[in-house]
Amino acid sequence: MIKSIDSQAGIEMVLAEEIECNLITLHNNSFTNKKPTIYNEHLIPERIRRAMSTAWDSTEILGRDIRIIELHNFIVGEQGLVIDSNFRVIKETITQHSPTEIEGFVKRAKEASDIEYVRGKFLNLRKRGEQNYGHWLIECLPKINYLKKLEDGFGVLVPNVSSQMNLVIDTSLRSSGASQDLMILKMGKNEIKRFESLVIIDGLTHHGTYMAPQAVEFNNKLRDSVNGAGLKKVLLLRDSNNRRISNIEHLTSTLREFGFTAVNPGKLTFSEQISVIKDADSVIGVMGAEMTNIVYANNCANILNIAPASMPDTFFHFLSVHKNHSYNEFRCETQSPDQDRNGSMQVDVEMICDIVRDLAF
């Protein structure tokens, strides 16, 4: 049954199995969930807390089927969004795309006088947020593991983003175990192409509500390919103006007395990022792309994620569930009148020190 996304815009979407396609379905079992330990939980606005309820409060996360779907003669653009020749959006490729983004892409595709036709077979490794280190490593790259379920001759479709992130993409692809002859096609956010044959993977992750264990298991293999730097306690510094800790120097110097080494992942290569975290039993950092690296820490490691009270995120919680971490969040108010989740935070250093002592970080 075709459903409308926006009746005013006239945009339609359709499930892949409702149209002609080849489909492989792999069943995934449920997994045990564990609520994170939240400090200052009372600061979290009710609607934000409610948005995280399923992921935080469920004792079991039901399994979701992983589907390998092959489509023919389909159009791709807008961070992995796929439409058919009738400009219907394939529902499985909508990943946090806003109605405005979807409508804009369909409009541009309709108005395009000549869309490049790409011959051959490609696995789509693109999604909304593909330019983000965490989205790429956990939600995009692990899909390459399903090439082994396909016949020979498939290439991969990847994002073409910033030079720094492109380097991460290139390095992680080389470390993935894929063939050295693998054809890699890069697409920018605003490019539109029509593909002779395109495979999409559905069900591996759904940002905010689900993460299959295979996504973390894949990254464990990347971890195994790198030697550790021997650091047991790591403070991950944030290389962004968003969600900065305004008294970071005080926090850094104090945690150094507990044996923590401060590391700025944004200044390191991808392999170096894995190396500095690989031997860690304790990791502290600010909620953001840098904290994705906890997936490379030891199993059962202690994690303390410093986060704005108004940020509805369960991504790092799920990473830690699959790594059997002791996962803790330290929620803070931001230094902005509207409690913007990207605002700076002044943390209570003494309270963090108490947590470090109590949990034997």
Side-chain angles (χ1 to χ4, degrees):
M1 180 178 64
I2 299 171
K3 299 178 181 179
S4 173
I5 293 175
D6 185 330
S7 58
Q8 290 183 335
I11 305 298
E12 292 181 326
M13 66 179 176
V14 61
L15 292 168
E17 65 256 34
E18 295 172 1
I19 57 180
E20 185 178 351
C21 64
N22 296 324
L23 182 68
I24 300 172
T25 300
L26 307 172
H27 180 67
N28 240 7
N29 293 327
S30 60
F31 59 85
T32 301
N33 193 38
K34 179 184 177 183
K35 181 185 174 181
T37 299
I38 310 297
Y39 295 90
N40 299 327
E41 187 170 356
H42 66 281
L43 297 177
I44 302 175
E46 182 180 351
R47 64 180 181 82
I48 301 298
R49 179 62 179 83
R50 191 165 51 247
M52 298 181 287
S53 178
T54 299
W56 276 7
D57 302 327
S58 302
T59 57
E60 182 182 42
I61 302 296
L62 297 179
R64 302 188 182 186
D65 289 342
I66 296 174
R67 299 183 305 146
I68 305 171
I69 304 166
E70 185 171 358
L71 305 167
H72 299 282
N73 194 29
F74 279 72
I75 300 168
V76 181
E78 192 60 51
Q79 296 189 316
L81 203 62
V82 179
I83 58 178
D84 68 6
S85 295
N86 295 317
F87 304 103
R88 300 177 301 181
V89 181
I90 306 306
K91 184 179 179 181
E92 290 87 346
T93 66
I94 300 174
T95 51
Q96 298 89 53
H97 294 90
S98 69
T100 300
E101 289 170 324
I102 296 170
E103 180 184 348
F105 170 51
V106 173
K107 184 175 184 290
R108 287 189 292 118
K110 286 181 177 180
E111 294 175 350
S113 58
D114 185 24
I115 297 177
E116 179 185 349
Y117 185 74
V118 180
R119 297 191 180 277
K121 302 175 292 185
F122 288 87
L123 172 64
N124 185 14
L125 299 185
R126 302 186 64 204
K127 71 173 290 291
R128 179 71 163 79
E130 62 194 10
Q131 75 285 353
N132 178 277
Y133 181 82
H135 284 262
W136 166 255
L137 289 174
I138 306 301
E139 300 182 319
C140 298
L141 180 63
K143 294 177 180 178
I144 201 173
N145 205 38
Y146 295 94
L147 278 178
K148 61 188 178 185
K149 300 288 185 180
L150 304 172
E151 61 188 31
D152 293 338
F154 269 87
V156 291
L157 173 63
V158 304
N160 187 14
V161 283
S162 68
S163 57
Q164 184 180 18
M165 191 58 212
N166 278 344
L167 188 57
V168 170
I169 291 171
D170 293 342
T171 306
S172 60
L173 281 170
R174 289 196 302 270
S175 303
S176 69
S179 168
Q180 296 300 309
D181 298 327
L182 179 70
M183 181 178 295
I184 300 171
L185 176 62
K186 293 187 175 183
M187 273 185 73
K189 181 179 184 296
N190 295 319
E191 289 186 83
I192 301 175
K193 298 182 189 294
R194 184 187 296 272
F195 284 79
E196 178 182 14
S197 182
L198 183 77
V199 165
I200 59 176
I201 308 295
D202 178 58
L204 186 65
T205 62
H206 189 281
H207 196 77
T209 61
Y210 182 77
M211 182 186 295
Q214 289 92 330
V216 171
E217 290 165 3
F218 176 87
N219 276 275
N220 282 336
K221 294 178 182 178
L222 297 185
R223 178 183 186 271
D224 292 342
S225 68
V226 176
N227 293 325
L231 301 180
K232 294 297 184 181
K233 299 182 178 184
V234 178
L235 170 63
L236 294 174
L237 301 177
R238 185 154 171 78
D239 192 29
S240 170
N241 289 324
N242 294 332
R243 299 191 295 282
R244 298 187 72 89
I245 296 178
S246 57
N247 56 337
I248 187 63
E249 292 82 6
H250 183 198
L251 179 64
T252 301
S253 62
T254 303
L255 288 177
R256 190 176 295 121
E257 297 175 6
F258 286 88
F260 280 83
T261 300
V263 174
N264 188 336
K267 306 297 183 184
L268 304 177
T269 65
F270 175 57
S271 295
E272 288 170 341
Q273 290 188 62
I274 297 177
S275 180
V276 298
I277 207 79
K278 180 176 180 177
D279 299 319
D281 294 319
S282 299
V283 182
I284 298 176
V286 175
M287 184 173 282
E290 295 83 358
M291 282 297 278
T292 304
N293 288 306
I294 63 175
V295 75
Y296 304 122
N298 283 326
N299 287 341
C300 304
N302 291 319
I303 309 297
L304 182 61
N305 202 354
I306 301 170
S310 59
M311 188 166 183
D313 191 284
T314 60
F315 180 83
F316 306 98
H317 159 64
F318 278 129
L319 287 181
S320 284
V321 165
H322 293 311
K323 294 285 291 189
N324 198 27
H325 288 158
S326 171
Y327 180 76
N328 308 269
E329 285 191 9
F330 187 87
R331 291 282 174 158
C332 306
E333 292 183 326
T334 56
Q335 296 172 305
S336 59
D338 58 355
Q339 287 301 301
D340 178 10
R341 69 185 187 184
N342 287 321
S344 297
M345 300 171 285
Q346 182 162 342
V347 302
D348 186 330
V349 174
E350 284 305 314
M351 189 174 177
I352 288 180
C353 290
D354 288 341
I355 294 169
V356 170
R357 292 188 193 97
D358 292 344
L359 300 182
F361 266 65

